[in-house]
Amino acid sequence: MKHPLTVLAIIALVVSSCTEPIPPSVLEVTTFRLKTTANSLTFNALDAEVESTFTNKQPGFIKRQSSVNGQGDYVVLVYWKSIEDAKASMDKFMNDASVADYAGMIEGSSMKMNRYTINDSFDASSSSFVETMSFETNDGVDMTKFNKVNQKVGVKVSAPKEGFLQRITGVNEAGEQIVAVYWDNKTNSDKALQPFMDNEISKEFMGMMNPSSIYMLRTTMLNSLNSTYMNLSKKEKVVSLLNSFNTGDQTPISYINPTKYIQHNLGVGDGLAGFGEVMQHAPPEGFKANVIRAFEDGDYVFTHTEYDFFGPKAGFDVFRFEEGQIVEHWDNLLSVQPNNPSGRTQFDGATALTDLDKTEANKNTITEFIEKVLLGHEMDKLTTYISTEKYIQHNPAVADGLDGFGAAMQYFAENGLVMEYTKLHKVLGQGNFVLSMSEGKFGKGEATAFYDLFRLEDGKIVEHWDVIAAIPPKTEWKNDNGKF
């Protein structure tokens, strides 16, 4: 028989090993949006490929999950054994040609990455929904008390809820906190949200946060999305259709309603027959289309594209959908021009889509700007709508800033030229980008279509692209639908 003290020593050793703290690891959190021209289904497939062929083969890798919400915000969570492992993987990722297509679909300016030290071992592989919240604590917060309340939230508020799987917390070198809460599905997460906000422990916890620093996303795992049928968005259908000029893929033709396709390009016949006739007259090398920006507003999609279409062209296209198919099309095309006095092209500039919650406000701003300033000639209101600090201009003949705008107007006046808006036909927008379609006179007084794309920040216009094209006389029209 073993000595009782020996048995006790063994028991003590076992207990000690069971309660030994889990060694710290790293949670890398990357958030981003896709380029407006990216296809989310293609990206999601590439994401799974990157995980299986690249990330999970890196030293120190533990777990990777990708998720997205309905607004297109992506969250990639990667667990590593150490900061050094995470950094080494990212350095290799940035120079690996095998992930170039994947990385090229991400809007670079939207990408944010942070690494947090955590003391939790990931154990929520069955999760299909995750909440991530990063924040800074208020100045002067007692961190010992904060950590206790943080732990209490997990044990007493989150854990008892139906569908809860795990809550992981951590902090980075700058003192920013992270909380990741895993759920079995979105429904249970939704049900727990309001009770969380109403709980006294949660209120104490939230009261320790700097409200302006809070960034929370609630996202669905891509592997859950991939297990169900997903449709292309309207925007993705349009981009695929325009890209088919380059690829020759015939599939996107099915996105056009074969019995109802109203054409407003006056040089093209109505319906699919008119579209087909143009394609038959393509040069041997075909047409080319490089979609720079693409946006969706209800039943409408509008794009900004660099074409090779009987010569290099800058174009804006607008498509209207009914029941998932394109039924109407407008456009405005102009030959590519030399760089403007500020050295800008008709295509460069910002592409990142932001401020989705400000879409209607931004559309209203542009509507007022055109109605009051361009139609109503209330030039004293110019700075109400255009930023005096930053106004980036892509019109081929106009320089940046309000001074550039003023110089262009003076040139027109001195040379007996006109730029007159007479009617606003449409205003479409998504987030910080708004397109207007207007009618008027230009140059020597020719009937003209004005397509203006604006980017806004904090309610002011900060960037502008346009295509100004003459409206041909009715005797030259190949359809009777009118330009607008």
Side-chain angles (χ1 to χ4, degrees):
M1 177 181 288
K2 293 184 179 179
H3 193 283
L5 288 178
T6 304
V7 175
L8 289 174
I10 293 172
I11 293 172
L13 181 61
V14 172
V15 172
S16 174
S17 66
C18 290
T19 59
E20 184 177 339
I22 298 170
S25 56
V26 173
L27 171 56
E28 181 180 84
V29 182
T30 306
T31 60
F32 55 86
R33 297 183 66 87
L34 300 186
K35 292 178 178 177
T36 62
T37 55
N39 183 307
S40 61
L41 298 187
T42 301
F43 179 83
N44 294 351
L46 286 174
D47 182 85
E49 187 176 310
V50 165
E51 179 172 334
S52 64
T53 63
F54 179 85
T55 311
N56 67 7
K57 297 184 182 303
Q58 304 309 307
F61 171 80
I62 299 172
K63 182 70 177 178
R64 181 182 185 273
Q65 299 164 308
S66 296
S67 56
V68 66
N69 64 15
Q71 289 72 51
D73 299 299
Y74 279 78
V75 180
V76 176
L77 305 174
V78 189
Y79 292 87
W80 300 96
K81 290 182 178 179
S82 70
I83 287 284
E84 290 72 26
D85 290 330
K87 289 180 177 178
S89 174
M90 181 57 72
D91 290 342
K92 186 176 179 181
F93 179 90
M94 298 303 292
N95 297 290
D96 195 303
S98 69
V99 300
D101 289 344
Y102 171 84
M105 298 177 78
I106 295 171
E107 181 61 67
S109 63
S110 72
M111 187 172 172
K112 297 178 183 177
M113 190 270 288
N114 275 294
R115 299 186 180 108
Y116 303 87
T117 299
I118 62 173
N119 292 299
D120 305 288
S121 180
F122 177 79
D123 187 29
S125 294
S126 62
S127 172
S128 69
F129 194 79
V130 62
E131 299 167 348
T132 54
M133 180 170 66
S134 62
F135 58 91
E136 298 168 3
T137 54
N138 286 323
D139 293 339
V141 164
D142 182 336
M143 293 309 296
T144 300
K145 181 179 179 181
F146 170 84
N147 290 332
K148 288 180 178 179
V149 175
N150 193 358
Q151 185 178 27
K152 192 186 296 184
V153 167
V155 173
K156 294 191 174 183
V157 183
S158 297
K161 298 295 186 293
E162 180 184 0
F164 170 84
L165 296 177
Q166 189 175 15
R167 184 175 185 268
I168 291 176
T169 62
V171 62
N172 67 13
E173 293 178 349
E176 183 183 69
Q177 305 282 331
I178 187 70
V179 176
V181 185
Y182 291 89
W183 300 88
D184 61 350
N185 58 56
K186 183 178 185 297
T187 300
N188 284 327
S189 172
D190 290 344
K191 288 194 299 186
L193 191 58
Q194 192 57 50
F196 175 90
M197 300 302 294
D198 294 337
N199 188 282
E200 292 303 318
I201 300 173
S202 302
K203 290 179 180 178
E204 182 181 10
F205 180 55
M206 299 287 285
M208 296 181 178
M209 302 176 187
N210 177 352
S212 65
S213 71
I214 297 173
Y215 183 57
M216 181 174 181
L217 290 172
R218 305 176 68 243
T219 50
T220 300
M221 301 299 180
L222 294 192
N223 57 7
S224 297
L225 293 176
N226 291 341
S227 66
T228 59
Y229 180 75
M230 291 178 61
N231 290 318
L232 287 174
S233 69
K234 299 181 187 74
K235 181 191 72 175
E236 288 167 339
K237 289 180 178 179
V238 165
V239 173
S240 295
L241 178 65
L242 296 177
N243 282 337
S244 69
F245 290 160
N246 311 313
T247 64
D249 183 9
Q250 296 298 304
T251 302
I253 298 296
S254 67
Y255 305 149
I256 300 175
N257 187 314
T259 61
K260 180 182 179 182
Y261 182 54
I262 305 167
Q263 178 63 260
H264 294 275
N265 181 317
L266 300 178
V268 179
D270 209 14
L272 268 182
F275 181 85
E277 184 181 357
V278 170
M279 299 306 293
Q280 288 176 5
H281 289 86
E285 64 276 13
F287 299 129
K288 301 297 179 185
N290 176 25
V291 186
I292 309 295
R293 298 169 181 86
F295 308 98
E296 188 170 326
D297 183 356
D299 290 330
Y300 293 87
V301 171
F302 57 102
T303 59
H304 185 194
T305 303
E306 181 178 9
Y307 282 108
D308 188 346
F309 187 77
F310 301 114
K313 300 282 194 309
F316 288 110
D317 291 88
V318 176
F319 300 84
R320 184 173 67 84
F321 281 74
E322 285 181 2
E323 299 179 352
Q325 288 190 305
I326 299 168
V327 295
E328 197 163 8
H329 169 251
W330 301 257
D331 65 6
N332 221 29
L333 300 170
L334 177 69
S335 295
V336 171
Q337 305 293 306
N339 292 4
N340 74 9
S342 293
R344 305 190 188 279
T345 73
Q346 293 159 280
F347 308 104
D348 61 0
T351 57
L353 178 62
T354 63
D355 298 335
L356 290 176
D357 58 328
K358 297 179 181 177
T359 295
E360 291 307 315
N362 286 337
K363 287 170 65 176
N364 290 338
T365 295
I366 296 306
T367 300
E368 287 185 11
F369 168 67
I370 293 175
E371 289 178 346
K372 293 183 179 181
V373 176
L374 299 182
L375 292 172
H377 306 293
E378 299 179 42
M379 300 306 292
D380 59 314
K381 289 187 169 62
L382 195 64
T383 56
T384 302
Y385 304 102
I386 298 178
S387 171
T388 57
E389 299 174 358
K390 177 173 67 174
Y391 181 46
I392 303 167
Q393 180 63 260
H394 296 273
N395 179 291
V398 183
D400 285 351
L402 289 175
D403 289 344
F405 182 84
M409 294 301 98
Q410 182 177 348
Y411 174 84
F412 267 68
E414 290 175 350
N415 290 273
L417 303 174
V418 300
M419 188 179 75
E420 181 183 355
Y421 283 62
T422 57
K423 186 174 182 179
L424 173 62
H425 285 273
K426 271 189 184 62
V427 175
L428 302 170
Q430 186 180 18
N432 55 327
F433 285 88
V434 178
L435 177 75
S436 65
M437 301 161 58
S438 306
E439 186 174 358
K441 298 177 181 179
F442 189 73
K444 296 294 186 179
E446 296 91 346
T448 298
F450 297 94
Y451 277 46
D452 294 276
L453 180 66
F454 303 91
R455 182 172 68 85
L456 295 90
E457 289 180 1
D458 300 322
K460 293 288 186 79
I461 299 167
V462 295
E463 196 161 10
H464 170 251
W465 302 258
D466 63 7
V467 166
I468 301 173
I471 300 174
K474 198 165 184 177
T475 54
E476 298 177 13
W477 293 7
K478 292 190 177 180
N479 64 67
D480 296 321
N481 300 317
K483 181 70 175 177
F484 300 97

